Every structure is written in structure tokens, then in C-alpha cells.
Amino acid sequence: MARPRNDALHEATRARILETARKQMTLYGTAGLGLRAIARELDQTPTALYRYFPSLDDLITALIVDAFSALADALEAARDAEAGGPMEKLRAVLLAYRAWAVANPTDFQLIYGNPIPGYDAPREVTVPAVVRGFVVLVGLVEAAVQSGAIVPRPPYDAMPAETLAAIDALIAGEGYPVSAQAMYLAMVAWSAGHGIVLLELFHHLQPVIGDPAVFYAAQLDALLRSFGAAPG
Amino acid sequence: MARPRNDALHEATRARILETARKQMTLYGTAGLGLRAIARELDQTPTALYRYFPSLDDLITALIVDAFSALADALEAARDAEAGGPMEKLRAVLLAYRAWAVANPTDFQLIYGNPIPGYDAPREVTVPAVVRGFVVLVGLVEAAVQSGAIVPRPPYDAMPAETLAAIDALIAGEGYPVSAQAMYLAMVAWSAGHGIVLLELFHHLQPVIGDPAVFYAAQLDALLRSFGAAPG
DNA sequence: TGTACATCAGTGAACGCGCGTTCACTGATGTAC
DNA sequence: TGTACATCAGTGAACGCGCGTTCACTGATGTAC
């Protein structure tokens, strides 16, 4: 080939486009994303972007995958930075979940909020990205169960038979090396944190309870205490 | 006046417009709402809608207020239909919260999901609509506390000092006839349910735990048990 | 050392589309006199 | 009983705008010979 593509430069421009897209998204919402607006901000022709993304939908997919990866990075970093046992690491990871959402509200809306009209995420590329973050959570719950930090105790010592059957089927089907109880408690913790984060993000919490960080930490500690151990 | 406006007819047309808007919203998302698209669906000129709404933003505001009202209606109906004590009524209301969201996913996204790009909700009209639903929840928690069905018990017997201060300030400022503890527990229950509902709405729950209704009911019972009483 | 040329990043015009809102209007209708 | 007219619902053309995507192109650049 007579003129090889400068991969480093190409990648850098691609990153600049995504960065600008993220900025636009912050200003105009996830549904306000547009190729022309991004190009305008970059002082470029709209058509120039087609060198980097075959279509707007592909650009959105890249944004989504990046967001899931960044969230997973944050969760892994929190886990590895915490020196304590699995219970303390679990606490750190759930705190990091909220922290990331608050620091990156638009990215959080992109991956966990309303779908973008006319856009359909290709599952084969987004699902692995979701799983990576969830694995951090489940892994720590499993470790806490193994170490005896989490002990079966009401009301979380049992789960509905139907729920257990679904989890068992998933674990068997995908070959995940975790117990059904760990996966169940991970979902319990995730959904609990998720609810607070979303209410905070759209300002439904603050008028009542003040600082959401305090409220979130209190709920997290209450939940972990119910799981069988006092918070670290 | 020579030609009085037929108020019933006018109101009926207004309702038809809102109904069509809701249908469009279901198909194309909350951000896909458009005056022209609604008019097209109604076989009318876009300008005809200006007889009923001064602008698209006013139409969206009407949709939001209606959605909050419908949700509050559903919660009140669930409370009044349940024959048991405050604890049973509380459980019924929280089940109704999820049921309404699942039955009206787009309306739920409209009021609790991503904001619509370029639209700003007028707080003086939306805030009272939000409050009406929340009052149902807080009222029942307060009644349960009064009746002794909810008793102070770890981990929900206390709350952070900062949270208590914020809630006290709100209660004093607005003159709500409830205790801080009741308002706190209402927020705890709301955010817990909210998280499950949103994960279910965007299909993050189903691949793991199967039927969200079962999971939701189990979490609800676990929470109410922690509040101090066995579920009805 | 010089040159042909494949490939690169990016341009500029154009396509067909949908959008919210304005304006001047049309025809129907019910009331006041 | 008849008529003028204010108000109604709705029309149709037009405004200026932004959108994603196509197409043929320009000029630079680095390699192969």
C-alpha cells in the first residue's frame, strides 16, 4: 500500500470526535446527539466524520460501549484500591457506582436511561460491556459469602423459588462460577443502589433528604448489615 | 359573545391530542414528541393544534402533569381498595407503583427518566403533581408508625444527623403533619422500589432473575419486615 | 535520486426529509338586535 | 322572523432551521519501482 494509514493519528481523531459527542450529549441530552452538531463543534465538514464512523448509530454504539467500560473500570479500581476484606471491597464498589454516576450523569443516562429514539443497540457488543461491571459486584458478594462475612440471615436467607430457578438456569447456561445466593444478593444490592442514584440524578431526592451521598451511604450500610455483617 | 366556545367539545379534542401524543411517545420515545407528527396522525394541520396548546412545550407539560396525576390516582386507588391495616395498605401502594410503571412505561419514563432536550418543566405546576403521589406513601408510613405496625428497629431505627436535619427543615418549612422518621422510611421504600422498576423497564433485570414481579414482591416484603412487621 | 500512484483526510454541493411557529385566510355557527 | 356579526375550528402557504447521508472531488503524502 502506497500510503499507510497513521493509526495513532486516526485513533486520536476518533477519540476527539467521541469526546465532542459526549460534550454535546451533556448539553443537549442523549437524544440530542447529531453528526452535524459534532462536526460543527470540531470545525469540520459533517462528511469528514464518515471516515471514522460509518453512521451516527455506530458512533452512539461506541459511546455506549465506552461508558460501560468506564463504569467497569471505576468499579474495578475501587475494588482494588480498598485494602480490606470482601465486605469492605463490596462497600467500596457500591460507593463507586454512585460516584461514577454522579460524576458522569450523561453517560449514566446513556446506558441506564431512556433509549434514544430510532437507535437500537446491537446486543452482541453491549451485553459483554454490561457484564464486565456486574462481574465485579457478584465476585465480591461471592467472596464475602465464601469468607463467612455474609451469612444467611432473614430476610435475605432465602429467595422465591421462581427467582432461584431463573438464576440457576443462567448460571448453568453461562457457566458462571458463582452461587445463586451470591448472584441474588448482588441483584438486591444493585437495584437498591440504582434507585437512589436515579432519583438523585433527576433531583427527586435532594429536596427531601438533603445530601444524597449521606443517604446513599446510610442505605448501603443498612443493606450490608442485613446481609450479615457490620459495615467496614 | 356571539359564538360561545363548546367547552365539552374543546376538551374532548384536547384529550384526543394528548392521547395521540402519548401514542407517539410510546412509538418514538419521549424525545420523539412532535406537533407535526401528532397532527398528521389526527389528519389535521399542524397549526390546528395551536387552538389547544400555545406551544409544544405546553403540550409536554400537560402530558407530564397528567402522568403524575394518573400515578397518584393509581396509588390512592390501591390504598383505598386494600381492606387491611396501614402495613397492608403500604404494601399495596408500593406494588401499585411498580404495576403502574409497567403498565405505562412511557409515561413513567416521561416523569422519572431522561429530560427531553430543549424542554424545561415549570416547577410551579409539576411539583404539586409529584407531591400528591408521595403524600400517599408518607401518609401510610406515618399511620403504620402511629399504629405500632412499624417499630424502630435496626438498621432503620436511626438516620444520619444530616439527613434528619434536612427532613426536619422540610417538614417545618412546608408544615407537613408527619414525623421525620416516617418521611425517611418513605424515601427508603420509594428508592428501593424505584431501582427495581427502572432496571426492569430497561430489561436489565429479567435476564438474571426471571419474573420481576416476583423479585419486586420479595424485596418489598424483606424491606417491610425490616421496618418492623411481617408482610400482610 | 526521481517519479508514478495508491491511499489518505477532508471538502463542498446537493438530496430529501422533518421540525416549530407565523400569518392571513375560510367557512360555519350561534347569539343579539 | 330575519339579519349582522363576533367568535369559533381549522386551512394552507411560507419562514428558517437542522438533520443523516450520497457523491464526486481535492490536495497531501509516503512507498515502490
Side-chain angles (χ1 to χ4, degrees):
Chain A
M1 104 189 84
R3 161 99 146 98
R5 135 142 129 219
N6 185 333
D7 278 334
L9 197 71
H10 191 86
E11 210 46 50
T13 306
R14 213 185 115 101
R16 263 180 56 233
I17 294 172
L18 288 173
E19 190 190 336
T20 307
R22 237 178 300 268
K23 199 163 88 185
Q24 296 282 340
M25 206 166 59
T26 303
L27 292 173
Y28 310 114
T30 55
L33 277 170
L35 272 185
R36 296 189 95 104
I38 296 167
R40 214 179 302 125
E41 176 80 16
L42 286 166
D43 269 323
Q44 277 197 329
T45 315
T47 46
L49 303 195
Y50 283 86
R51 290 257 152 212
Y52 303 91
F53 299 95
S55 75
L56 174 63
D57 279 16
D58 292 278
L59 194 155
I60 294 175
T61 300
L63 284 173
I64 290 175
V65 169
D66 281 5
F68 273 121
S69 295
L71 174 55
D73 287 346
L75 299 186
E76 289 176 357
R79 175 194 60 194
D80 298 341
E82 168 61 48
M87 210 62 180
E88 286 74 27
K89 283 177 182 288
L90 179 57
R91 197 178 111 91
V93 163
L94 286 166
L95 285 175
Y97 184 78
R98 173 185 168 272
W100 189 85
V102 171
N104 306 277
T106 322
D107 281 301
F108 195 83
Q109 285 176 46
L110 179 67
I111 59 181
Y112 285 123
N114 301 16
I116 297 174
Y119 170 79
D120 250 316
R123 295 187 62 79
E124 69 275 12
V125 70
T126 55
V127 167
V130 188
V131 167
R132 214 192 110 207
F134 187 59
V135 158
V136 177
L137 186 59
V138 183
L140 287 175
V141 175
E142 176 71 21
V145 169
Q146 298 274 349
S147 77
I150 289 181
V151 296
R153 178 207 289 190
Y156 296 114
D157 53 333
M159 67 184 105
E162 208 173 325
T163 305
L164 175 60
I167 293 178
D168 275 342
L170 177 72
I171 289 176
E174 302 283 332
Y176 291 133
V178 294
S179 64
Q181 181 71 3
M183 189 149 266
Y184 177 67
L185 293 182
M187 292 304 285
V188 171
W190 181 25
S191 59
H194 194 72
I196 299 176
V197 166
L198 274 166
L199 287 179
E200 170 182 4
L201 234 49
F202 300 131
H203 295 97
H204 297 293
L205 226 50
Q206 291 87 331
V208 181
I209 55 86
D211 185 356
V214 174
F215 184 78
Y216 186 89
Q219 298 320 303
L220 175 53
D221 288 343
L223 188 71
L224 293 184
R225 212 171 347 155
S226 297
F227 279 5
Chain B
M1 99 191 85
R3 159 101 147 98
R5 136 142 130 218
N6 183 333
D7 278 335
L9 197 71
H10 191 87
E11 211 44 51
T13 306
R14 213 184 116 99
R16 263 179 58 234
I17 294 171
L18 289 173
E19 190 190 337
T20 307
R22 236 179 300 269
K23 199 163 89 184
Q24 297 281 338
M25 207 166 59
T26 302
L27 292 173
Y28 310 115
T30 56
L33 277 171
L35 272 187
R36 298 189 94 105
I38 296 168
R40 215 178 301 126
E41 176 80 16
L42 286 167
D43 270 323
Q44 276 198 329
T45 316
T47 46
L49 304 194
Y50 283 86
R51 290 257 151 213
Y52 303 90
F53 300 95
S55 74
L56 174 62
D57 279 16
D58 292 275
L59 194 154
I60 294 176
T61 300
L63 284 173
I64 290 175
V65 169
D66 281 5
F68 274 121
S69 295
L71 173 55
D73 287 346
L75 299 186
E76 289 176 357
R79 175 194 60 194
D80 299 340
E82 168 61 49
M87 209 62 180
E88 286 74 25
K89 284 177 182 289
L90 179 56
R91 195 178 112 92
V93 163
L94 286 166
L95 285 175
Y97 185 78
R98 172 184 169 274
W100 188 85
V102 170
N104 307 277
T106 322
D107 282 299
F108 195 83
Q109 286 176 46
L110 179 68
I111 60 182
Y112 285 123
N114 301 17
I116 296 174
Y119 170 79
D120 251 316
R123 295 188 61 80
E124 70 275 10
V125 71
T126 55
V127 167
V130 189
V131 167
R132 213 192 112 208
F134 187 60
V135 158
V136 177
L137 186 59
V138 183
L140 287 176
V141 175
E142 175 71 21
V145 169
Q146 297 276 351
S147 77
I150 289 181
V151 296
R153 178 207 289 189
Y156 296 113
D157 53 335
M159 68 183 105
E162 207 172 325
T163 305
L164 175 60
I167 292 178
D168 275 341
L170 177 72
I171 290 176
E174 303 283 333
Y176 293 134
V178 295
S179 64
Q181 181 71 2
M183 189 149 266
Y184 177 66
L185 293 182
M187 292 304 285
V188 170
W190 181 25
S191 59
H194 194 73
I196 299 176
V197 166
L198 274 166
L199 288 179
E200 171 181 3
L201 234 49
F202 300 131
H203 295 98
H204 297 294
L205 226 51
Q206 292 88 331
V208 180
I209 52 86
D211 185 356
V214 173
F215 184 77
Y216 186 90
Q219 298 319 304
L220 175 53
D221 287 343
L223 188 72
L224 293 185
R225 220 184 324 169
S226 297
F227 279 4

